[in-house]
Amino acid sequence: MSRVAIYPGSFDPVTNGHLDIVARGLKLFDKIIITILKNPAKKTLFSLEERIEMLKACLEKNKKIEIAAFDGLLVDYAVKRKAQAILRGMRAVSDFEYEFQLALMNRKLNREIQTVFLMTGMRWIFTSSSIIKEASQFGGNINGMVPQIVNRKLKQKFKLTS
Ligand code: PNS
């Protein structure tokens, strides 16, 4: 049986921390479906299409990875895609409470789907999409924290010259 994980998130935008989790996940799973929640109510910097485009530019060449979007309940999407697990990254302790709630709610909704947490590498412990957007907005140097395509797109968004 092929081991499939869903790696869900907003990915607004994808960071090197996310890519680190994907690389670690590929050691455990045969396929990872990276999926962005379609939530028109949530304000994001990048549109769904832009976020998919950036993820594809970083990862599409890997045949074990699929980039997708979903709406509705995550566990329902996991069943639809025949995935056995939900993959989530864990950074500092501050992530724990939210992740714990999400994992337990998902377990309540479907006991067959397991949530698997992977720890990011130490160098990504403080990397988050929100902190990167904030630093980038004010011209902060985020080289090495995001893929190059994301760095370029952030500069375009915030009309900063590269
Ligand atoms: O990267 P994020 O924004 O923390 O990801 C949150 C996400 C997309 C994993 C979560 O909001 C989600 O799964 N939403 C879909 C609805 C759902 O199934 N929620 C969990 C049980 S209420």
Side-chain angles (χ1 to χ4, degrees):
M1 186 179 75
S2 140
R3 294 161 306 166
V4 180
I6 301 278
Y7 181 25
S10 304
F11 300 102
D12 185 39
V14 58
T15 68
N16 284 347
H18 293 127
L19 298 184
D20 179 72
I21 292 297
V22 172
R24 289 170 197 275
L26 284 175
K27 294 185 177 153
L28 297 176
F29 296 100
D30 300 309
K31 178 174 179 175
I32 297 181
I33 302 169
I34 303 173
T35 183
I36 302 183
L37 174 66
K38 286 190 224 164
N39 180 1
K42 186 167 174 180
K43 233 179 113 30
T44 54
L45 176 66
F46 292 100
S47 68
L48 179 65
E49 293 70 27
E50 287 173 317
R51 286 178 282 155
I52 289 177
E53 183 199 325
M54 286 184 277
L55 276 164
K56 283 193 171 168
C58 301
L59 293 163
E60 201 176 37
K61 285 199 188 88
N62 191 327
K63 296 278 171 279
K64 294 165 105 187
I65 291 174
E66 183 185 326
I67 318 289
F70 81 107
D71 52 16
L73 281 180
L74 180 59
V75 287
D76 292 345
Y77 184 72
V79 169
K80 192 169 137 196
R81 300 304 316 270
K82 298 186 172 36
Q84 303 87 14
I86 292 167
L87 175 62
R88 291 286 285 176
M90 190 75 91
R91 290 163 304 185
V93 180
S94 49
D95 280 343
F96 184 78
E97 198 167 330
Y98 170 64
E99 293 299 335
F100 191 61
Q101 264 186 347
L102 202 64
L104 289 182
M105 183 48 119
N106 283 331
R107 185 194 284 171
K108 175 112 187 99
L109 294 170
N110 186 331
R111 300 195 75 78
E112 298 303 314
I113 310 286
Q114 305 302 324
T115 298
V116 174
F117 292 111
L118 289 178
M119 280 178 65
T120 50
M122 281 306 280
R123 59 191 296 217
W124 313 120
I125 282 286
F126 295 106
T127 306
S128 73
S129 300
S130 329
I131 214 100
I132 278 168
K133 280 182 283 189
E134 184 159 334
S136 173
Q137 182 176 6
F138 298 110
N141 182 357
I142 52 157
N143 288 345
M145 299 173 89
V146 289
Q148 277 182 7
I149 182 178
V150 174
N151 204 343
R152 273 202 307 278
K153 295 264 179 200
L154 280 165
K155 282 180 176 153
Q156 284 167 12
K157 259 304 164 206
F158 294 127
K159 302 206 172 12
L160 301 165
T161 50
S162 51

mmCIF file with all atom_site columns, all heavy atoms in Angstrom, residues 39-57:
data_model
loop_
_atom_site.group_PDB
_atom_site.id
_atom_site.type_symbol
_atom_site.label_atom_id
_atom_site.label_alt_id
_atom_site.label_comp_id
_atom_site.label_asym_id
_atom_site.label_entity_id
_atom_site.label_seq_id
_atom_site.pdbx_PDB_ins_code
_atom_site.Cartn_x
_atom_site.Cartn_y
_atom_site.Cartn_z
_atom_site.occupancy
_atom_site.B_iso_or_equiv
_atom_site.pdbx_formal_charge
_atom_site.auth_seq_id
_atom_site.auth_comp_id
_atom_site.auth_asym_id
_atom_site.auth_atom_id
_atom_site.pdbx_PDB_model_num
ATOM 1   N N   . ASN A 1 39 ? -10.111 29.521 1.070   1.00 0.00 ? 39 ASN A N   1
ATOM 2   C CA  . ASN A 1 39 ? -10.961 30.180 2.065   1.00 0.00 ? 39 ASN A CA  1
ATOM 3   C C   . ASN A 1 39 ? -11.082 31.659 1.720   1.00 0.00 ? 39 ASN A C   1
ATOM 4   O O   . ASN A 1 39 ? -10.238 32.479 2.119   1.00 0.00 ? 39 ASN A O   1
ATOM 5   C CB  . ASN A 1 39 ? -10.340 29.990 3.468   1.00 0.00 ? 39 ASN A CB  1
ATOM 6   C CG  . ASN A 1 39 ? -11.170 30.642 4.546   1.00 0.00 ? 39 ASN A CG  1
ATOM 7   O OD1 . ASN A 1 39 ? -12.218 31.221 4.254   1.00 0.00 ? 39 ASN A OD1 1
ATOM 8   N ND2 . ASN A 1 39 ? -10.713 30.562 5.784   1.00 0.00 ? 39 ASN A ND2 1
ATOM 9   N N   . PRO A 1 40 ? -12.127 32.015 0.959   1.00 0.00 ? 40 PRO A N   1
ATOM 10  C CA  . PRO A 1 40 ? -12.261 33.407 0.517   1.00 0.00 ? 40 PRO A CA  1
ATOM 11  C C   . PRO A 1 40 ? -12.378 34.377 1.688   1.00 0.00 ? 40 PRO A C   1
ATOM 12  O O   . PRO A 1 40 ? -12.064 35.565 1.556   1.00 0.00 ? 40 PRO A O   1
ATOM 13  C CB  . PRO A 1 40 ? -13.549 33.407 -0.317  1.00 0.00 ? 40 PRO A CB  1
ATOM 14  C CG  . PRO A 1 40 ? -13.969 31.990 -0.442  1.00 0.00 ? 40 PRO A CG  1
ATOM 15  C CD  . PRO A 1 40 ? -13.242 31.171 0.560   1.00 0.00 ? 40 PRO A CD  1
ATOM 16  N N   . ALA A 1 41 ? -12.783 33.873 2.853   1.00 0.00 ? 41 ALA A N   1
ATOM 17  C CA  . ALA A 1 41 ? -12.952 34.756 4.022   1.00 0.00 ? 41 ALA A CA  1
ATOM 18  C C   . ALA A 1 41 ? -11.602 35.149 4.626   1.00 0.00 ? 41 ALA A C   1
ATOM 19  O O   . ALA A 1 41 ? -11.494 36.158 5.314   1.00 0.00 ? 41 ALA A O   1
ATOM 20  C CB  . ALA A 1 41 ? -13.802 34.057 5.063   1.00 0.00 ? 41 ALA A CB  1
ATOM 21  N N   . LYS A 1 42 ? -10.578 34.342 4.371   1.00 0.00 ? 42 LYS A N   1
ATOM 22  C CA  . LYS A 1 42 ? -9.268  34.639 4.976   1.00 0.00 ? 42 LYS A CA  1
ATOM 23  C C   . LYS A 1 42 ? -8.478  35.578 4.074   1.00 0.00 ? 42 LYS A C   1
ATOM 24  O O   . LYS A 1 42 ? -8.287  35.305 2.890   1.00 0.00 ? 42 LYS A O   1
ATOM 25  C CB  . LYS A 1 42 ? -8.493  33.335 5.196   1.00 0.00 ? 42 LYS A CB  1
ATOM 26  C CG  . LYS A 1 42 ? -7.194  33.540 5.951   1.00 0.00 ? 42 LYS A CG  1
ATOM 27  C CD  . LYS A 1 42 ? -6.594  32.243 6.445   1.00 0.00 ? 42 LYS A CD  1
ATOM 28  C CE  . LYS A 1 42 ? -5.223  32.521 7.067   1.00 0.00 ? 42 LYS A CE  1
ATOM 29  N NZ  . LYS A 1 42 ? -4.579  31.327 7.571   1.00 0.00 ? 42 LYS A NZ  1
ATOM 30  N N   . LYS A 1 43 ? -8.036  36.691 4.657   1.00 0.00 ? 43 LYS A N   1
ATOM 31  C CA  . LYS A 1 43 ? -7.273  37.671 3.880   1.00 0.00 ? 43 LYS A CA  1
ATOM 32  C C   . LYS A 1 43 ? -5.843  37.172 3.709   1.00 0.00 ? 43 LYS A C   1
ATOM 33  O O   . LYS A 1 43 ? -5.173  36.874 4.702   1.00 0.00 ? 43 LYS A O   1
ATOM 34  C CB  . LYS A 1 43 ? -7.279  39.022 4.611   1.00 0.00 ? 43 LYS A CB  1
ATOM 35  C CG  . LYS A 1 43 ? -7.759  40.161 3.716   1.00 0.00 ? 43 LYS A CG  1
ATOM 36  C CD  . LYS A 1 43 ? -7.778  41.470 4.437   1.00 0.00 ? 43 LYS A CD  1
ATOM 37  C CE  . LYS A 1 43 ? -6.780  42.488 3.938   1.00 0.00 ? 43 LYS A CE  1
ATOM 38  N NZ  . LYS A 1 43 ? -6.363  42.503 2.580   1.00 0.00 ? 43 LYS A NZ  1
ATOM 39  N N   . THR A 1 44 ? -5.427  37.040 2.471   1.00 0.00 ? 44 THR A N   1
ATOM 40  C CA  . THR A 1 44 ? -4.050  36.585 2.235   1.00 0.00 ? 44 THR A CA  1
ATOM 41  C C   . THR A 1 44 ? -3.336  37.612 1.372   1.00 0.00 ? 44 THR A C   1
ATOM 42  O O   . THR A 1 44 ? -3.979  38.368 0.634   1.00 0.00 ? 44 THR A O   1
ATOM 43  C CB  . THR A 1 44 ? -4.048  35.216 1.506   1.00 0.00 ? 44 THR A CB  1
ATOM 44  O OG1 . THR A 1 44 ? -4.840  35.322 0.321   1.00 0.00 ? 44 THR A OG1 1
ATOM 45  C CG2 . THR A 1 44 ? -4.572  34.100 2.390   1.00 0.00 ? 44 THR A CG2 1
ATOM 46  N N   . LEU A 1 45 ? -2.009  37.630 1.460   1.00 0.00 ? 45 LEU A N   1
ATOM 47  C CA  . LEU A 1 45 ? -1.242  38.555 0.619   1.00 0.00 ? 45 LEU A CA  1
ATOM 48  C C   . LEU A 1 45 ? -1.267  38.073 -0.832  1.00 0.00 ? 45 LEU A C   1
ATOM 49  O O   . LEU A 1 45 ? -1.478  38.852 -1.751  1.00 0.00 ? 45 LEU A O   1
ATOM 50  C CB  . LEU A 1 45 ? 0.211   38.628 1.131   1.00 0.00 ? 45 LEU A CB  1
ATOM 51  C CG  . LEU A 1 45 ? 1.156   39.486 0.301   1.00 0.00 ? 45 LEU A CG  1
ATOM 52  C CD1 . LEU A 1 45 ? 0.756   40.957 0.347   1.00 0.00 ? 45 LEU A CD1 1
ATOM 53  C CD2 . LEU A 1 45 ? 2.594   39.327 0.797   1.00 0.00 ? 45 LEU A CD2 1
ATOM 54  N N   . PHE A 1 46 ? -1.062  36.771 -1.017  1.00 0.00 ? 46 PHE A N   1
ATOM 55  C CA  . PHE A 1 46 ? -1.028  36.197 -2.359  1.00 0.00 ? 46 PHE A CA  1
ATOM 56  C C   . PHE A 1 46 ? -2.347  35.478 -2.654  1.00 0.00 ? 46 PHE A C   1
ATOM 57  O O   . PHE A 1 46 ? -2.916  34.826 -1.765  1.00 0.00 ? 46 PHE A O   1
ATOM 58  C CB  . PHE A 1 46 ? 0.132   35.203 -2.487  1.00 0.00 ? 46 PHE A CB  1
ATOM 59  C CG  . PHE A 1 46 ? 1.488   35.855 -2.437  1.00 0.00 ? 46 PHE A CG  1
ATOM 60  C CD1 . PHE A 1 46 ? 2.236   35.837 -1.263  1.00 0.00 ? 46 PHE A CD1 1
ATOM 61  C CD2 . PHE A 1 46 ? 2.017   36.499 -3.544  1.00 0.00 ? 46 PHE A CD2 1
ATOM 62  C CE1 . PHE A 1 46 ? 3.484   36.444 -1.199  1.00 0.00 ? 46 PHE A CE1 1
ATOM 63  C CE2 . PHE A 1 46 ? 3.267   37.110 -3.495  1.00 0.00 ? 46 PHE A CE2 1
ATOM 64  C CZ  . PHE A 1 46 ? 4.002   37.083 -2.324  1.00 0.00 ? 46 PHE A CZ  1
ATOM 65  N N   . SER A 1 47 ? -2.785  35.562 -3.913  1.00 0.00 ? 47 SER A N   1
ATOM 66  C CA  . SER A 1 47 ? -4.013  34.853 -4.305  1.00 0.00 ? 47 SER A CA  1
ATOM 67  C C   . SER A 1 47 ? -3.738  33.352 -4.288  1.00 0.00 ? 47 SER A C   1
ATOM 68  O O   . SER A 1 47 ? -2.573  32.919 -4.271  1.00 0.00 ? 47 SER A O   1
ATOM 69  C CB  . SER A 1 47 ? -4.433  35.278 -5.719  1.00 0.00 ? 47 SER A CB  1
ATOM 70  O OG  . SER A 1 47 ? -3.473  34.794 -6.650  1.00 0.00 ? 47 SER A OG  1
ATOM 71  N N   . LEU A 1 48 ? -4.798  32.571 -4.333  1.00 0.00 ? 48 LEU A N   1
ATOM 72  C CA  . LEU A 1 48 ? -4.659  31.115 -4.371  1.00 0.00 ? 48 LEU A CA  1
ATOM 73  C C   . LEU A 1 48 ? -3.767  30.703 -5.553  1.00 0.00 ? 48 LEU A C   1
ATOM 74  O O   . LEU A 1 48 ? -2.861  29.881 -5.414  1.00 0.00 ? 48 LEU A O   1
ATOM 75  C CB  . LEU A 1 48 ? -6.059  30.486 -4.496  1.00 0.00 ? 48 LEU A CB  1
ATOM 76  C CG  . LEU A 1 48 ? -6.119  28.972 -4.575  1.00 0.00 ? 48 LEU A CG  1
ATOM 77  C CD1 . LEU A 1 48 ? -5.642  28.335 -3.284  1.00 0.00 ? 48 LEU A CD1 1
ATOM 78  C CD2 . LEU A 1 48 ? -7.534  28.509 -4.898  1.00 0.00 ? 48 LEU A CD2 1
ATOM 79  N N   . GLU A 1 49 ? -4.024  31.330 -6.705  1.00 0.00 ? 49 GLU A N   1
ATOM 80  C CA  . GLU A 1 49 ? -3.261  30.978 -7.917  1.00 0.00 ? 49 GLU A CA  1
ATOM 81  C C   . GLU A 1 49 ? -1.774  31.299 -7.732  1.00 0.00 ? 49 GLU A C   1
ATOM 82  O O   . GLU A 1 49 ? -0.914  30.528 -8.129  1.00 0.00 ? 49 GLU A O   1
ATOM 83  C CB  . GLU A 1 49 ? -3.802  31.751 -9.137  1.00 0.00 ? 49 GLU A CB  1
ATOM 84  C CG  . GLU A 1 49 ? -5.207  31.362 -9.567  1.00 0.00 ? 49 GLU A CG  1
ATOM 85  C CD  . GLU A 1 49 ? -6.309  31.811 -8.586  1.00 0.00 ? 49 GLU A CD  1
ATOM 86  O OE1 . GLU A 1 49 ? -6.096  32.813 -7.870  1.00 0.00 ? 49 GLU A OE1 1
ATOM 87  O OE2 . GLU A 1 49 ? -7.354  31.130 -8.529  1.00 0.00 ? 49 GLU A OE2 1
ATOM 88  N N   . GLU A 1 50 ? -1.490  32.456 -7.116  1.00 0.00 ? 50 GLU A N   1
ATOM 89  C CA  . GLU A 1 50 ? -0.081  32.829 -6.916  1.00 0.00 ? 50 GLU A CA  1
ATOM 90  C C   . GLU A 1 50 ? 0.609   31.859 -5.958  1.00 0.00 ? 50 GLU A C   1
ATOM 91  O O   . GLU A 1 50 ? 1.762   31.475 -6.153  1.00 0.00 ? 50 GLU A O   1
ATOM 92  C CB  . GLU A 1 50 ? 0.003   34.251 -6.332  1.00 0.00 ? 50 GLU A CB  1
ATOM 93  C CG  . GLU A 1 50 ? -0.322  35.349 -7.319  1.00 0.00 ? 50 GLU A CG  1
ATOM 94  C CD  . GLU A 1 50 ? -0.406  36.725 -6.661  1.00 0.00 ? 50 GLU A CD  1
ATOM 95  O OE1 . GLU A 1 50 ? -1.012  36.850 -5.559  1.00 0.00 ? 50 GLU A OE1 1
ATOM 96  O OE2 . GLU A 1 50 ? 0.121   37.678 -7.239  1.00 0.00 ? 50 GLU A OE2 1
ATOM 97  N N   . ARG A 1 51 ? -0.122  31.453 -4.928  1.00 0.00 ? 51 ARG A N   1
ATOM 98  C CA  . ARG A 1 51 ? 0.472   30.534 -3.945  1.00 0.00 ? 51 ARG A CA  1
ATOM 99  C C   . ARG A 1 51 ? 0.742   29.169 -4.571  1.00 0.00 ? 51 ARG A C   1
ATOM 100 O O   . ARG A 1 51 ? 1.782   28.559 -4.337  1.00 0.00 ? 51 ARG A O   1
ATOM 101 C CB  . ARG A 1 51 ? -0.444  30.431 -2.716  1.00 0.00 ? 51 ARG A CB  1
ATOM 102 C CG  . ARG A 1 51 ? -0.378  31.689 -1.845  1.00 0.00 ? 51 ARG A CG  1
ATOM 103 C CD  . ARG A 1 51 ? -1.310  31.614 -0.678  1.00 0.00 ? 51 ARG A CD  1
ATOM 104 N NE  . ARG A 1 51 ? -2.682  31.892 -1.049  1.00 0.00 ? 51 ARG A NE  1
ATOM 105 C CZ  . ARG A 1 51 ? -3.752  31.467 -0.388  1.00 0.00 ? 51 ARG A CZ  1
ATOM 106 N NH1 . ARG A 1 51 ? -3.602  30.718 0.684   1.00 0.00 ? 51 ARG A NH1 1
ATOM 107 N NH2 . ARG A 1 51 ? -4.961  31.797 -0.771  1.00 0.00 ? 51 ARG A NH2 1
ATOM 108 N N   . ILE A 1 52 ? -0.201  28.721 -5.405  1.00 0.00 ? 52 ILE A N   1
ATOM 109 C CA  . ILE A 1 52 ? -0.002  27.441 -6.103  1.00 0.00 ? 52 ILE A CA  1
ATOM 110 C C   . ILE A 1 52 ? 1.196   27.556 -7.052  1.00 0.00 ? 52 ILE A C   1
ATOM 111 O O   . ILE A 1 52 ? 2.059   26.681 -7.106  1.00 0.00 ? 52 ILE A O   1
ATOM 112 C CB  . ILE A 1 52 ? -1.289  27.035 -6.862  1.00 0.00 ? 52 ILE A CB  1
ATOM 113 C CG1 . ILE A 1 52 ? -2.370  26.619 -5.857  1.00 0.00 ? 52 ILE A CG1 1
ATOM 114 C CG2 . ILE A 1 52 ? -1.014  25.913 -7.863  1.00 0.00 ? 52 ILE A CG2 1
ATOM 115 C CD1 . ILE A 1 52 ? -3.719  26.272 -6.456  1.00 0.00 ? 52 ILE A CD1 1
ATOM 116 N N   . GLU A 1 53 ? 1.258   28.667 -7.762  1.00 0.00 ? 53 GLU A N   1
ATOM 117 C CA  . GLU A 1 53 ? 2.352   28.868 -8.738  1.00 0.00 ? 53 GLU A CA  1
ATOM 118 C C   . GLU A 1 53 ? 3.718   28.807 -8.034  1.00 0.00 ? 53 GLU A C   1
ATOM 119 O O   . GLU A 1 53 ? 4.649   28.167 -8.514  1.00 0.00 ? 53 GLU A O   1
ATOM 120 C CB  . GLU A 1 53 ? 2.151   30.238 -9.409  1.00 0.00 ? 53 GLU A CB  1
ATOM 121 C CG  . GLU A 1 53 ? 3.154   30.563 -10.489 1.00 0.00 ? 53 GLU A CG  1
ATOM 122 C CD  . GLU A 1 53 ? 3.212   32.062 -10.780 1.00 0.00 ? 53 GLU A CD  1
ATOM 123 O OE1 . GLU A 1 53 ? 2.173   32.737 -10.702 1.00 0.00 ? 53 GLU A OE1 1
ATOM 124 O OE2 . GLU A 1 53 ? 4.316   32.543 -11.065 1.00 0.00 ? 53 GLU A OE2 1
ATOM 125 N N   . MET A 1 54 ? 3.828   29.458 -6.873  1.00 0.00 ? 54 MET A N   1
ATOM 126 C CA  . MET A 1 54 ? 5.115   29.461 -6.160  1.00 0.00 ? 54 MET A CA  1
ATOM 127 C C   . MET A 1 54 ? 5.474   28.053 -5.679  1.00 0.00 ? 54 MET A C   1
ATOM 128 O O   . MET A 1 54 ? 6.611   27.616 -5.801  1.00 0.00 ? 54 MET A O   1
ATOM 129 C CB  . MET A 1 54 ? 5.062   30.448 -4.986  1.00 0.00 ? 54 MET A CB  1
ATOM 130 C CG  . MET A 1 54 ? 5.111   31.895 -5.436  1.00 0.00 ? 54 MET A CG  1
ATOM 131 S SD  . MET A 1 54 ? 5.174   33.068 -4.076  1.00 0.00 ? 54 MET A SD  1
ATOM 132 C CE  . MET A 1 54 ? 3.454   33.203 -3.643  1.00 0.00 ? 54 MET A CE  1
ATOM 133 N N   . LEU A 1 55 ? 4.468   27.343 -5.146  1.00 0.00 ? 55 LEU A N   1
ATOM 134 C CA  . LEU A 1 55 ? 4.733   25.970 -4.686  1.00 0.00 ? 55 LEU A CA  1
ATOM 135 C C   . LEU A 1 55 ? 5.151   25.088 -5.863  1.00 0.00 ? 55 LEU A C   1
ATOM 136 O O   . LEU A 1 55 ? 6.091   24.293 -5.755  1.00 0.00 ? 55 LEU A O   1
ATOM 137 C CB  . LEU A 1 55 ? 3.480   25.381 -4.021  1.00 0.00 ? 55 LEU A CB  1
ATOM 138 C CG  . LEU A 1 55 ? 3.279   25.740 -2.555  1.00 0.00 ? 55 LEU A CG  1
ATOM 139 C CD1 . LEU A 1 55 ? 1.858   25.443 -2.108  1.00 0.00 ? 55 LEU A CD1 1
ATOM 140 C CD2 . LEU A 1 55 ? 4.264   24.978 -1.665  1.00 0.00 ? 55 LEU A CD2 1
ATOM 141 N N   . LYS A 1 56 ? 4.459   25.255 -6.991  1.00 0.00 ? 56 LYS A N   1
ATOM 142 C CA  . LYS A 1 56 ? 4.787   24.440 -8.165  1.00 0.00 ? 56 LYS A CA  1
ATOM 143 C C   . LYS A 1 56 ? 6.202   24.740 -8.640  1.00 0.00 ? 56 LYS A C   1
ATOM 144 O O   . LYS A 1 56 ? 6.950   23.835 -8.982  1.00 0.00 ? 56 LYS A O   1
ATOM 145 C CB  . LYS A 1 56 ? 3.780   24.688 -9.293  1.00 0.00 ? 56 LYS A CB  1
ATOM 146 C CG  . LYS A 1 56 ? 2.463   23.979 -9.049  1.00 0.00 ? 56 LYS A CG  1
ATOM 147 C CD  . LYS A 1 56 ? 1.589   23.949 -10.281 1.00 0.00 ? 56 LYS A CD  1
ATOM 148 C CE  . LYS A 1 56 ? 0.394   23.030 -10.030 1.00 0.00 ? 56 LYS A CE  1
ATOM 149 N NZ  . LYS A 1 56 ? -0.632  23.148 -11.043 1.00 0.00 ? 56 LYS A NZ  1
ATOM 150 N N   . ALA A 1 57 ? 6.554   26.014 -8.659  1.00 0.00 ? 57 ALA A N   1
ATOM 151 C CA  . ALA A 1 57 ? 7.898   26.383 -9.116  1.00 0.00 ? 57 ALA A CA  1
ATOM 152 C C   . ALA A 1 57 ? 8.965   25.724 -8.235  1.00 0.00 ? 57 ALA A C   1
ATOM 153 O O   . ALA A 1 57 ? 10.031  25.356 -8.705  1.00 0.00 ? 57 ALA A O   1
ATOM 154 C CB  . ALA A 1 57 ? 8.051   27.903 -9.092  1.00 0.00 ? 57 ALA A CB  1
#
